[in-house]
PDB file of all heavy atoms in Angstrom:
ATOM      1  N   ASN A  42       4.203  -0.865  25.587  1.00  0.00           N
ATOM      2  CA  ASN A  42       5.201  -1.931  25.794  1.00  0.00           C
ATOM      3  C   ASN A  42       5.775  -1.867  27.203  1.00  0.00           C
ATOM      4  O   ASN A  42       6.587  -2.701  27.592  1.00  0.00           O
ATOM      5  CB  ASN A  42       6.328  -1.813  24.757  1.00  0.00           C
ATOM      6  CG  ASN A  42       6.996  -0.451  24.790  1.00  0.00           C
ATOM      7  OD1 ASN A  42       6.512   0.474  25.439  1.00  0.00           O
ATOM      8  ND2 ASN A  42       8.105  -0.308  24.091  1.00  0.00           N
ATOM      9  N   SER A  43       5.369  -0.859  27.968  1.00  0.00           N
ATOM     10  CA  SER A  43       5.900  -0.673  29.308  1.00  0.00           C
ATOM     11  C   SER A  43       4.759  -0.796  30.330  1.00  0.00           C
ATOM     12  O   SER A  43       4.845  -1.560  31.289  1.00  0.00           O
ATOM     13  CB  SER A  43       6.552   0.709  29.370  1.00  0.00           C
ATOM     14  OG  SER A  43       7.245   0.872  30.551  1.00  0.00           O
ATOM     15  N   THR A 104       4.298 -12.909  39.953  1.00  0.00           N
ATOM     16  CA  THR A 104       4.739 -11.894  38.981  1.00  0.00           C
ATOM     17  C   THR A 104       5.900 -12.491  38.173  1.00  0.00           C
ATOM     18  O   THR A 104       6.395 -13.572  38.481  1.00  0.00           O
ATOM     19  CB  THR A 104       5.173 -10.607  39.703  1.00  0.00           C
ATOM     20  OG1 THR A 104       6.008 -10.981  40.795  1.00  0.00           O
ATOM     21  CG2 THR A 104       3.971  -9.830  40.214  1.00  0.00           C
ATOM     22  N   LEU A 105       6.315 -11.764  37.149  1.00  0.00           N
ATOM     23  CA  LEU A 105       7.164 -12.386  36.144  1.00  0.00           C
ATOM     24  C   LEU A 105       8.494 -12.930  36.672  1.00  0.00           C
ATOM     25  O   LEU A 105       8.817 -14.105  36.485  1.00  0.00           O
ATOM     26  CB  LEU A 105       7.408 -11.401  34.989  1.00  0.00           C
ATOM     27  CG  LEU A 105       8.382 -11.867  33.924  1.00  0.00           C
ATOM     28  CD1 LEU A 105       7.971 -13.201  33.323  1.00  0.00           C
ATOM     29  CD2 LEU A 105       8.506 -10.818  32.834  1.00  0.00           C
ATOM     30  N   THR A 106       9.283 -12.092  37.331  1.00  0.00           N
ATOM     31  CA  THR A 106      10.604 -12.568  37.748  1.00  0.00           C
ATOM     32  C   THR A 106      10.460 -13.704  38.760  1.00  0.00           C
ATOM     33  O   THR A 106      11.236 -14.669  38.752  1.00  0.00           O
ATOM     34  CB  THR A 106      11.449 -11.413  38.318  1.00  0.00           C
ATOM     35  OG1 THR A 106      11.432 -10.328  37.375  1.00  0.00           O
ATOM     36  CG2 THR A 106      12.883 -11.830  38.551  1.00  0.00           C
ATOM     37  N   VAL A 107       9.447 -13.589  39.609  1.00  0.00           N
ATOM     38  CA  VAL A 107       9.181 -14.671  40.571  1.00  0.00           C
ATOM     39  C   VAL A 107       8.901 -15.973  39.821  1.00  0.00           C
ATOM     40  O   VAL A 107       9.451 -17.037  40.150  1.00  0.00           O
ATOM     41  CB  VAL A 107       7.988 -14.299  41.484  1.00  0.00           C
ATOM     42  CG1 VAL A 107       7.571 -15.484  42.346  1.00  0.00           C
ATOM     43  CG2 VAL A 107       8.336 -13.091  42.346  1.00  0.00           C
ATOM     44  N   ASN A 108       8.069 -15.894  38.800  1.00  0.00           N
ATOM     45  CA  ASN A 108       7.745 -17.115  38.055  1.00  0.00           C
ATOM     46  C   ASN A 108       8.961 -17.676  37.330  1.00  0.00           C
ATOM     47  O   ASN A 108       9.131 -18.898  37.252  1.00  0.00           O
ATOM     48  CB  ASN A 108       6.612 -16.858  37.061  1.00  0.00           C
ATOM     49  CG  ASN A 108       5.269 -16.852  37.760  1.00  0.00           C
ATOM     50  OD1 ASN A 108       5.140 -17.365  38.875  1.00  0.00           O
ATOM     51  ND2 ASN A 108       4.276 -16.284  37.116  1.00  0.00           N
ATOM     52  N   LEU A 109       9.787 -16.803  36.778  1.00  0.00           N
ATOM     53  CA  LEU A 109      10.985 -17.321  36.100  1.00  0.00           C
ATOM     54  C   LEU A 109      11.887 -18.032  37.111  1.00  0.00           C
ATOM     55  O   LEU A 109      12.461 -19.079  36.816  1.00  0.00           O
ATOM     56  CB  LEU A 109      11.722 -16.193  35.371  1.00  0.00           C
ATOM     57  CG  LEU A 109      10.998 -15.677  34.112  1.00  0.00           C
ATOM     58  CD1 LEU A 109      11.672 -14.420  33.569  1.00  0.00           C
ATOM     59  CD2 LEU A 109      10.944 -16.746  33.009  1.00  0.00           C
ATOM     60  N   GLU A 129      21.036 -13.885  26.084  1.00  0.00           N
ATOM     61  CA  GLU A 129      21.474 -12.832  25.168  1.00  0.00           C
ATOM     62  C   GLU A 129      22.232 -11.778  25.963  1.00  0.00           C
ATOM     63  O   GLU A 129      21.926 -11.563  27.147  1.00  0.00           O
ATOM     64  CB  GLU A 129      20.296 -12.230  24.398  1.00  0.00           C
ATOM     65  CG  GLU A 129      19.393 -11.270  25.172  1.00  0.00           C
ATOM     66  CD  GLU A 129      18.315 -11.981  25.989  1.00  0.00           C
ATOM     67  OE1 GLU A 129      18.540 -13.117  26.461  1.00  0.00           O
ATOM     68  OE2 GLU A 129      17.252 -11.358  26.180  1.00  0.00           O
ATOM     69  N   ALA A 132      20.635  -8.638  28.464  1.00  0.00           N
ATOM     70  CA  ALA A 132      19.236  -9.024  28.710  1.00  0.00           C
ATOM     71  C   ALA A 132      18.636  -8.019  29.691  1.00  0.00           C
ATOM     72  O   ALA A 132      19.358  -7.283  30.377  1.00  0.00           O
ATOM     73  CB  ALA A 132      19.181 -10.437  29.293  1.00  0.00           C
ATOM     74  N   PHE A 133      17.320  -7.993  29.770  1.00  0.00           N
ATOM     75  CA  PHE A 133      16.630  -7.138  30.734  1.00  0.00           C
ATOM     76  C   PHE A 133      17.263  -7.354  32.114  1.00  0.00           C
ATOM     77  O   PHE A 133      17.497  -8.488  32.519  1.00  0.00           O
ATOM     78  CB  PHE A 133      15.152  -7.510  30.748  1.00  0.00           C
ATOM     79  CG  PHE A 133      14.281  -6.528  31.459  1.00  0.00           C
ATOM     80  CD1 PHE A 133      13.793  -5.415  30.799  1.00  0.00           C
ATOM     81  CD2 PHE A 133      13.948  -6.708  32.793  1.00  0.00           C
ATOM     82  CE1 PHE A 133      12.982  -4.500  31.453  1.00  0.00           C
ATOM     83  CE2 PHE A 133      13.142  -5.795  33.461  1.00  0.00           C
ATOM     84  CZ  PHE A 133      12.657  -4.690  32.780  1.00  0.00           C
ATOM     85  N   PRO A 134      17.579  -6.273  32.833  1.00  0.00           N
ATOM     86  CA  PRO A 134      18.351  -6.428  34.073  1.00  0.00           C
ATOM     87  C   PRO A 134      17.791  -7.453  35.052  1.00  0.00           C
ATOM     88  O   PRO A 134      18.549  -8.233  35.628  1.00  0.00           O
ATOM     89  CB  PRO A 134      18.323  -5.022  34.684  1.00  0.00           C
ATOM     90  CG  PRO A 134      18.046  -4.113  33.549  1.00  0.00           C
ATOM     91  CD  PRO A 134      17.295  -4.888  32.503  1.00  0.00           C
ATOM     92  N   SER A 135      16.470  -7.477  35.220  1.00  0.00           N
ATOM     93  CA  SER A 135      15.909  -8.424  36.180  1.00  0.00           C
ATOM     94  C   SER A 135      16.273  -9.857  35.792  1.00  0.00           C
ATOM     95  O   SER A 135      16.567 -10.693  36.656  1.00  0.00           O
ATOM     96  CB  SER A 135      14.381  -8.269  36.251  1.00  0.00           C
ATOM     97  OG  SER A 135      13.872  -8.903  37.390  1.00  0.00           O
ATOM     98  N   ASP A 136      16.292 -10.141  34.504  1.00  0.00           N
ATOM     99  CA  ASP A 136      16.649 -11.478  34.037  1.00  0.00           C
ATOM    100  C   ASP A 136      18.121 -11.772  34.339  1.00  0.00           C
ATOM    101  O   ASP A 136      18.476 -12.889  34.730  1.00  0.00           O
ATOM    102  CB  ASP A 136      16.376 -11.620  32.537  1.00  0.00           C
ATOM    103  CG  ASP A 136      14.895 -11.479  32.201  1.00  0.00           C
ATOM    104  OD1 ASP A 136      14.208 -10.723  32.914  1.00  0.00           O
ATOM    105  OD2 ASP A 136      14.424 -12.106  31.246  1.00  0.00           O
ATOM    106  N   GLY A 189      14.951 -13.522  26.074  1.00  0.00           N
ATOM    107  CA  GLY A 189      13.758 -12.721  25.814  1.00  0.00           C
ATOM    108  C   GLY A 189      13.297 -12.968  24.381  1.00  0.00           C
ATOM    109  O   GLY A 189      14.068 -12.777  23.446  1.00  0.00           O
ATOM    110  N   VAL A 191      11.200 -11.294  22.602  1.00  0.00           N
ATOM    111  CA  VAL A 191      11.274 -10.002  21.912  1.00  0.00           C
ATOM    112  C   VAL A 191      12.203  -9.133  22.745  1.00  0.00           C
ATOM    113  O   VAL A 191      11.980  -8.962  23.940  1.00  0.00           O
ATOM    114  CB  VAL A 191       9.884  -9.330  21.805  1.00  0.00           C
ATOM    115  CG1 VAL A 191      10.002  -7.954  21.165  1.00  0.00           C
ATOM    116  CG2 VAL A 191       8.917 -10.209  21.020  1.00  0.00           C
ATOM    117  N   ASN A 192      13.247  -8.617  22.126  1.00  0.00           N
ATOM    118  CA  ASN A 192      14.220  -7.828  22.882  1.00  0.00           C
ATOM    119  C   ASN A 192      13.616  -6.493  23.307  1.00  0.00           C
ATOM    120  O   ASN A 192      13.081  -5.749  22.473  1.00  0.00           O
ATOM    121  CB  ASN A 192      15.472  -7.609  22.027  1.00  0.00           C
ATOM    122  CG  ASN A 192      16.581  -6.952  22.818  1.00  0.00           C
ATOM    123  OD1 ASN A 192      16.697  -5.726  22.841  1.00  0.00           O
ATOM    124  ND2 ASN A 192      17.375  -7.752  23.508  1.00  0.00           N
ATOM    125  N   TYR A 193      13.708  -6.200  24.589  1.00  0.00           N
ATOM    126  CA  TYR A 193      13.019  -5.001  25.097  1.00  0.00           C
ATOM    127  C   TYR A 193      13.617  -3.707  24.552  1.00  0.00           C
ATOM    128  O   TYR A 193      12.938  -2.697  24.448  1.00  0.00           O
ATOM    129  CB  TYR A 193      13.046  -4.984  26.637  1.00  0.00           C
ATOM    130  CG  TYR A 193      14.347  -4.480  27.229  1.00  0.00           C
ATOM    131  CD1 TYR A 193      14.470  -3.155  27.660  1.00  0.00           C
ATOM    132  CD2 TYR A 193      15.455  -5.304  27.324  1.00  0.00           C
ATOM    133  CE1 TYR A 193      15.656  -2.683  28.187  1.00  0.00           C
ATOM    134  CE2 TYR A 193      16.647  -4.828  27.848  1.00  0.00           C
ATOM    135  CZ  TYR A 193      16.746  -3.516  28.269  1.00  0.00           C
ATOM    136  OH  TYR A 193      17.926  -3.040  28.771  1.00  0.00           O
ATOM    137  N   ASP A 218      11.417 -15.719  28.123  1.00  0.00           N
ATOM    138  CA  ASP A 218      10.799 -14.589  28.810  1.00  0.00           C
ATOM    139  C   ASP A 218       9.997 -13.836  27.749  1.00  0.00           C
ATOM    140  O   ASP A 218      10.577 -13.279  26.811  1.00  0.00           O
ATOM    141  CB  ASP A 218      11.888 -13.697  29.426  1.00  0.00           C
ATOM    142  CG  ASP A 218      11.285 -12.490  30.138  1.00  0.00           C
ATOM    143  OD1 ASP A 218      10.147 -12.107  29.814  1.00  0.00           O
ATOM    144  OD2 ASP A 218      11.983 -11.906  31.002  1.00  0.00           O
ATOM    145  N   LEU A 219       8.688 -13.843  27.904  1.00  0.00           N
ATOM    146  CA  LEU A 219       7.821 -13.270  26.865  1.00  0.00           C
ATOM    147  C   LEU A 219       7.198 -11.937  27.290  1.00  0.00           C
ATOM    148  O   LEU A 219       6.126 -11.561  26.814  1.00  0.00           O
ATOM    149  CB  LEU A 219       6.738 -14.288  26.495  1.00  0.00           C
ATOM    150  CG  LEU A 219       7.295 -15.623  25.963  1.00  0.00           C
ATOM    151  CD1 LEU A 219       6.155 -16.597  25.681  1.00  0.00           C
ATOM    152  CD2 LEU A 219       8.123 -15.394  24.698  1.00  0.00           C
ATOM    153  N   ALA A 220       7.897 -11.213  28.176  1.00  0.00           N
ATOM    154  CA  ALA A 220       7.378  -9.925  28.660  1.00  0.00           C
ATOM    155  C   ALA A 220       6.957  -9.017  27.503  1.00  0.00           C
ATOM    156  O   ALA A 220       5.909  -8.381  27.543  1.00  0.00           O
ATOM    157  CB  ALA A 220       8.428  -9.227  29.518  1.00  0.00           C
ATOM    158  N   HIS A 221       7.808  -8.962  26.466  1.00  0.00           N
ATOM    159  CA  HIS A 221       7.517  -8.069  25.334  1.00  0.00           C
ATOM    160  C   HIS A 221       6.855  -8.800  24.168  1.00  0.00           C
ATOM    161  O   HIS A 221       6.706  -8.228  23.091  1.00  0.00           O
ATOM    162  CB  HIS A 221       8.800  -7.377  24.867  1.00  0.00           C
ATOM    163  CG  HIS A 221       9.137  -6.202  25.731  1.00  0.00           C
ATOM    164  ND1 HIS A 221       8.832  -4.905  25.377  1.00  0.00           N
ATOM    165  CD2 HIS A 221       9.700  -6.131  26.963  1.00  0.00           C
ATOM    166  CE1 HIS A 221       9.203  -4.088  26.340  1.00  0.00           C
ATOM    167  NE2 HIS A 221       9.743  -4.807  27.323  1.00  0.00           N
ATOM    168  N   TRP A 240       5.414 -14.569  31.198  1.00  0.00           N
ATOM    169  CA  TRP A 240       5.250 -13.192  30.721  1.00  0.00           C
ATOM    170  C   TRP A 240       4.564 -12.365  31.784  1.00  0.00           C
ATOM    171  O   TRP A 240       3.871 -12.907  32.652  1.00  0.00           O
ATOM    172  CB  TRP A 240       4.421 -13.162  29.420  1.00  0.00           C
ATOM    173  CG  TRP A 240       3.091 -13.834  29.529  1.00  0.00           C
ATOM    174  CD1 TRP A 240       1.893 -13.234  29.846  1.00  0.00           C
ATOM    175  CD2 TRP A 240       2.806 -15.238  29.341  1.00  0.00           C
ATOM    176  NE1 TRP A 240       0.898 -14.192  29.862  1.00  0.00           N
ATOM    177  CE2 TRP A 240       1.422 -15.418  29.555  1.00  0.00           C
ATOM    178  CE3 TRP A 240       3.582 -16.346  28.998  1.00  0.00           C
ATOM    179  CZ2 TRP A 240       0.799 -16.658  29.459  1.00  0.00           C
ATOM    180  CZ3 TRP A 240       2.963 -17.592  28.908  1.00  0.00           C
ATOM    181  CH2 TRP A 240       1.588 -17.735  29.127  1.00  0.00           C
ATOM    182  N   CYS A 241       4.768 -11.059  31.732  1.00  0.00           N
ATOM    183  CA  CYS A 241       4.005 -10.172  32.604  1.00  0.00           C
ATOM    184  C   CYS A 241       2.768  -9.742  31.827  1.00  0.00           C
ATOM    185  O   CYS A 241       2.695  -9.916  30.620  1.00  0.00           O
ATOM    186  CB  CYS A 241       4.836  -8.977  33.053  1.00  0.00           C
ATOM    187  SG  CYS A 241       5.639  -8.099  31.710  1.00  0.00           S
ATOM    188  N   SER A 242       1.818  -9.164  32.518  1.00  0.00           N
ATOM    189  CA  SER A 242       0.547  -8.875  31.859  1.00  0.00           C
ATOM    190  C   SER A 242       0.291  -7.375  31.744  1.00  0.00           C
ATOM    191  O   SER A 242      -0.704  -6.959  31.191  1.00  0.00           O
ATOM    192  CB  SER A 242      -0.575  -9.519  32.667  1.00  0.00           C
ATOM    193  OG  SER A 242      -0.520  -9.053  34.005  1.00  0.00           O
ATOM    194  N   TYR A 243       1.219  -6.582  32.312  1.00  0.00           N
ATOM    195  CA  TYR A 243       0.939  -5.137  32.367  1.00  0.00           C
ATOM    196  C   TYR A 243       1.497  -4.375  31.178  1.00  0.00           C
ATOM    197  O   TYR A 243       1.297  -3.180  31.073  1.00  0.00           O
ATOM    198  CB  TYR A 243       1.488  -4.542  33.677  1.00  0.00           C
ATOM    199  CG  TYR A 243       2.917  -4.948  33.985  1.00  0.00           C
ATOM    200  CD1 TYR A 243       3.973  -4.314  33.369  1.00  0.00           C
ATOM    201  CD2 TYR A 243       3.189  -5.988  34.872  1.00  0.00           C
ATOM    202  CE1 TYR A 243       5.280  -4.701  33.631  1.00  0.00           C
ATOM    203  CE2 TYR A 243       4.473  -6.385  35.134  1.00  0.00           C
ATOM    204  CZ  TYR A 243       5.527  -5.739  34.512  1.00  0.00           C
ATOM    205  OH  TYR A 243       6.813  -6.140  34.768  1.00  0.00           O
ATOM    206  N   LYS A 244       2.217  -5.055  30.296  1.00  0.00           N
ATOM    207  CA  LYS A 244       2.738  -4.365  29.101  1.00  0.00           C
ATOM    208  C   LYS A 244       1.656  -4.409  28.018  1.00  0.00           C
ATOM    209  O   LYS A 244       0.634  -3.758  28.178  1.00  0.00           O
ATOM    210  CB  LYS A 244       4.062  -5.002  28.697  1.00  0.00           C
ATOM    211  CG  LYS A 244       5.144  -4.689  29.744  1.00  0.00           C
ATOM    212  CD  LYS A 244       6.480  -5.348  29.495  1.00  0.00           C
ATOM    213  CE  LYS A 244       7.454  -4.912  30.606  1.00  0.00           C
ATOM    214  NZ  LYS A 244       8.689  -5.705  30.627  1.00  0.00           N
ATOM    215  N   GLY A 251       2.320  -3.658  37.709  1.00  0.00           N
ATOM    216  CA  GLY A 251       2.906  -4.727  38.525  1.00  0.00           C
ATOM    217  C   GLY A 251       2.067  -5.988  38.577  1.00  0.00           C
ATOM    218  O   GLY A 251       2.235  -6.800  39.488  1.00  0.00           O
ATOM    219  N   ASN A 252       1.188  -6.154  37.635  1.00  0.00           N
ATOM    220  CA  ASN A 252       0.206  -7.239  37.788  1.00  0.00           C
ATOM    221  C   ASN A 252       0.755  -8.621  37.438  1.00  0.00           C
ATOM    222  O   ASN A 252       1.899  -8.776  37.020  1.00  0.00           O
ATOM    223  CB  ASN A 252      -1.062  -6.921  36.994  1.00  0.00           C
ATOM    224  CG  ASN A 252      -2.290  -7.498  37.672  1.00  0.00           C
ATOM    225  OD1 ASN A 252      -2.196  -8.398  38.508  1.00  0.00           O
ATOM    226  ND2 ASN A 252      -3.446  -6.994  37.326  1.00  0.00           N
ATOM    227  N   SER A 254       1.531 -12.585  36.417  1.00  0.00           N
ATOM    228  CA  SER A 254       2.277 -13.146  35.294  1.00  0.00           C
ATOM    229  C   SER A 254       1.581 -14.416  34.815  1.00  0.00           C
ATOM    230  O   SER A 254       0.948 -15.133  35.587  1.00  0.00           O
ATOM    231  CB  SER A 254       3.688 -13.447  35.788  1.00  0.00           C
ATOM    232  OG  SER A 254       4.333 -14.419  35.002  1.00  0.00           O
ATOM    233  N   ARG A 398      11.695   4.608  22.260  1.00  0.00           N
ATOM    234  CA  ARG A 398      10.968   3.414  21.827  1.00  0.00           C
ATOM    235  C   ARG A 398       9.514   3.818  21.580  1.00  0.00           C
ATOM    236  O   ARG A 398       8.894   4.475  22.424  1.00  0.00           O
ATOM    237  CB  ARG A 398      11.034   2.328  22.913  1.00  0.00           C
ATOM    238  CG  ARG A 398      12.454   1.919  23.278  1.00  0.00           C
ATOM    239  CD  ARG A 398      12.475   0.749  24.256  1.00  0.00           C
ATOM    240  NE  ARG A 398      11.693   1.024  25.450  1.00  0.00           N
ATOM    241  CZ  ARG A 398      11.328   0.094  26.327  1.00  0.00           C
ATOM    242  NH1 ARG A 398      11.667  -1.173  26.136  1.00  0.00           N
ATOM    243  NH2 ARG A 398      10.628   0.417  27.394  1.00  0.00           N
TER     244      ARG A 398
HETATM  245  C1  PLP B 501       9.253  -5.944  31.905  1.00  0.00           C
HETATM  246  C2  PLP B 501      10.194  -7.061  31.983  1.00  0.00           C
HETATM  247  C3  PLP B 501      10.424  -7.741  33.181  1.00  0.00           C
HETATM  248  C4  PLP B 501       9.752  -7.273  34.450  1.00  0.00           C
HETATM  249  O1  PLP B 501       9.720  -8.233  35.424  1.00  0.00           O
HETATM  250  P1  PLP B 501       8.754  -8.103  36.717  1.00  0.00           P
HETATM  251  O2  PLP B 501       9.115  -9.281  37.493  1.00  0.00           O
HETATM  252  O3  PLP B 501       7.342  -8.091  36.213  1.00  0.00           O
HETATM  253  O4  PLP B 501       9.085  -6.817  37.397  1.00  0.00           O
HETATM  254  C5  PLP B 501      11.269  -8.826  33.172  1.00  0.00           C
HETATM  255  N1  PLP B 501      11.898  -9.229  32.034  1.00  0.00           N
HETATM  256  C6  PLP B 501      11.707  -8.580  30.860  1.00  0.00           C
HETATM  257  C7  PLP B 501      12.398  -9.051  29.620  1.00  0.00           C
HETATM  258  C8  PLP B 501      10.873  -7.479  30.806  1.00  0.00           C
HETATM  259  O5  PLP B 501      10.702  -6.816  29.659  1.00  0.00           O
END
Side-chain angles (χ1 to χ4, degrees):
N42 57 349
S43 189
T104 46
L105 175 56
T106 309
V107 172
N108 281 341
L109 288 171
E129 76 276 31
F133 193 85
S135 195
D136 297 32
V191 176
N192 187 269
Y193 81 98
D218 179 337
L219 300 177
H221 279 261
W240 55 93
C241 51
S242 56
Y243 48 80
K244 291 176 179 168
N252 212 341
S254 158
R398 302 186 305 166

